[in-house]
Amino acid sequence: VKPTVPALALLPIRIFFGATFLWAGLDKLLDPTFLDPAAATSIHAQLVAFSRTSPLGDLIRDALPYANAVGLVIAVAELGIGIGALTGIAFRLAAAGGAALSLLFWLTASWATRPFYFGADLPYAVGWIALAVAGHGDLLVPARYRERPRVPVAANRVDESAPASPARRLVFQAGLLASLAAILASFAPELRVLGIATGPQTSPTPLPTLLPSGGPIASPSPVASGAKADLVVGRVADVSRAGFAAFTVPFDAPAPLPAGDPGLVVQLADQSFVAFDAVCTHAGCTVEFDKVDSIIFCPCHGAEFDPTRDAAVIDGPTRQPLAKLPLVIDTATGTISLAG
Ligand code: FES
């Protein structure tokens, strides 16, 4: 079959989107922290972060008890969408699914991105819509999955390689696609056992979060008077020595503390301590502290925040300061705690 011009023109997008979604699904399933609620990079922690900025915040909060199920569904859906785009099986359905998922990511992971064109999810959604409308044009698709109608090739005979009715074809191909995605997903534990694992999610379509690096991780300490034991985030001596420390806000921290978020405590030039939610207000990566310039920066798209001015934005694609976390400093016991 001679490929149509739109099919040829859309082939690069089809291959790129298909491969990207396939990898995004695998990346999640191979990341040992993705389904670990205690990890700062888990789907649970990411949903908690998105719930604060997304217009779907209430919905996300309702889904938090099912965070791992949501993460698994997203990962397997990404596998199916990627396979469908690359092979042509249930192509339009896969592309429509890619558009729906990308729109969901735009409303959650990318919603805080300013200006909007810095976020990748909206362009993904538009590209998927183009693929869903255009179809694959029977290009690079096995004969039985082509879209051309069943045509008579001779009296009393039809072309058997051509597909059956559209409804039957869609149901069959959707089932096949779901089965292939499930089979591929079922291999993830074996691959991890073989040492094939990925790190935290960082790309735009997968949900973004980076681990803080280059700084000490605050360790549990004796309890400060007036502070709850489980809200201790570090020792004065440790933070003074390094100038800063990264920590995780305890998962059982009371609201409005951002339970499960990464945090950053910094000692300022006047020796006082300040702490911030380390989830970047642009697209959710984890910010870090630059000791040389005494600024907080985001490794993803370069946002910079001033710790001396309540993490006001110095530069970058966001206008929203980091959320400040209230601290209790107990000089007697030498502990730094979140005020709960
Ligand atoms: S996530 Fe984009 S600058 Fe931080």
Side-chain angles (χ1 to χ4, degrees), residues 30-125:
L30 294 177
D31 178 357
T33 69
F34 186 63
L35 298 178
D36 175 5
T41 51
S42 68
I43 178 67
H44 183 277
Q46 293 175 56
L47 291 181
V48 169
F50 299 155
S51 70
R52 296 198 192 93
T53 54
S54 168
L56 306 179
D58 288 342
L59 204 63
I60 297 172
R61 275 184 283 280
D62 288 344
L64 280 179
Y66 318 103
N68 281 4
V70 170
L72 277 176
V73 167
I74 289 175
V76 176
E78 285 177 331
L79 292 182
I81 290 164
I83 295 170
L86 292 174
T87 62
I89 301 172
F91 183 83
R92 289 178 197 262
L93 184 67
L101 214 47
S102 298
L103 284 173
L104 184 66
F105 293 152
W106 173 56
L107 289 168
T108 51
S110 298
W111 189 253
T113 302
R114 299 285 183 278
F116 74 93
Y117 50 77
F118 272 32
D121 295 314
L122 200 51
Y124 269 104

Side-chain angles (χ1 to χ4, degrees), residues 158-246:
V158 295
D159 180 357
E160 290 303 329
S161 68
S165 79
R168 278 181 54 196
R169 188 175 61 211
L170 182 64
V171 170
F172 169 75
Q173 292 191 19
L176 178 62
L177 201 54
S179 305
L180 289 173
I183 291 169
L184 189 55
S186 71
F187 281 111
E190 281 74 24
L191 292 174
R192 281 214 300 267
V193 168
L194 292 174
I196 302 173
T198 62
Q201 299 292 305
T202 58
S203 61
T205 294
L207 311 169
T209 304
L210 289 175
L211 280 171
S213 61
I217 303 294
S219 53
S221 312
V223 185
S225 66
K228 294 181 183 169
D230 52 3
L231 295 182
V232 174
V233 296
R235 297 185 61 83
V236 169
D238 295 339
V239 180
S240 295
R241 196 177 312 117
F244 68 104

Side-chain angles (χ1 to χ4, degrees), residues 113 208 280-287 298-305 316-318:
T113 302
C280 180
T281 52
H282 174 222
C285 289
T286 300
V287 297
C298 179
C300 287
H301 313 103
E304 294 178 354
F305 306 89
T318 179

Side-chain angles (χ1 to χ4, degrees), residues 207-296:
L207 311 169
T209 304
L210 289 175
L211 280 171
S213 61
I217 303 294
S219 53
S221 312
V223 185
S225 66
K228 294 181 183 169
D230 52 3
L231 295 182
V232 174
V233 296
R235 297 185 61 83
V236 169
D238 295 339
V239 180
S240 295
R241 196 177 312 117
F244 68 104
F247 61 89
T248 300
V249 179
F251 278 92
D252 55 357
L257 289 175
D261 273 15
L264 199 58
V265 56
V266 176
Q267 186 171 36
L268 304 180
D270 63 3
Q271 306 305 307
S272 63
F273 295 92
V274 286
F276 303 100
D277 188 326
V279 174
C280 180
T281 52
H282 174 222
C285 289
T286 300
V287 297
E288 301 173 16
F289 185 66
D290 179 342
K291 266 188 89 169
V292 177
D293 293 327
S294 295
I295 59 162
I296 297 169

